[in-house]
Amino acid sequence: HHSAIMSWVATAIAVWLRTQPKPRGEVYCGEAGIRLPGSTSTVGVDVAYAPPSVVATQDDDKTTMLDGLPALVVEILSPSVTQEQLDEKIDTYIDAGVPAVWVVHPTRRTVTVHRPGQEPELFNVTHRLPANPQMPGFAPAVLELFE
C-alpha cells in the first residue's frame, strides 16, 4: 500500500511538472535521499520535488541523492515508523527551510500539511491541498493521491 501511494503522489507531481515551462525541477522518490543545506547527514524521503534552481546545482545526474532544499517533501506513514521518528523528520525538514511537508496517512486517507511558522493542517479526500508558491498551480485533490 505504501509503494502504491508513493507512486500516486509522484505521478501527481510529474503530471503537474510536465505542464511547467523549462527548466523544470525533478521528482525524487523510492530510494531517494536528501542532504539538506548545512547538514552532513542524509535523510531518506518517500517523495520530494526539487525546483529547477536546486536541480541545476546537482553534481551527478545519475544519483538518487539530492543536495539542497526541496520545495516539497512527502512522507507516507508506515506501521514501522513511530510518532517520535516522524516528528523528528518533520522538524528536520521544517528547520532546514523546506516550505511544505506532507504526511500522508494511507489508512485514514488524509494528508497533514506542515509549513514553517504555521500550525499543521489536516486535509481529507473531500479537500484539495493548498498550493505551494514554489509549485505554481499544483494543488491536487487529496483523493488523487489514493487512487
Side-chain angles (χ1 to χ4, degrees), residues 36-123:
L36 296 165
S39 175
T40 57
S41 60
T42 302
V43 181
V45 65
D46 290 325
V47 181
Y49 167 72
S53 59
V54 173
V55 173
T57 65
Q58 302 308 296
D59 291 334
D60 183 1
D61 63 355
K62 293 181 172 97
T63 183
T64 58
M65 179 64 62
L66 173 65
D67 278 307
L69 198 62
L72 172 66
V73 168
V74 181
E75 289 293 331
I76 301 163
L77 292 179
S78 65
S80 63
V81 175
T82 67
Q83 187 63 51
E84 184 178 337
Q85 291 168 322
L86 179 62
D87 289 344
E88 186 176 319
K89 260 189 157 179
I90 294 166
D91 290 346
T92 297
Y93 294 131
I94 296 296
D95 291 347
V98 174
V101 178
W102 294 356
V103 177
V104 178
H105 195 302
T107 307
R108 297 183 192 270
R109 296 170 35 130
T110 61
V111 178
T112 303
V113 177
H114 299 264
R115 289 176 274 199
Q118 298 181 28
E119 291 295 318
E121 291 182 85
L122 179 66
F123 298 88

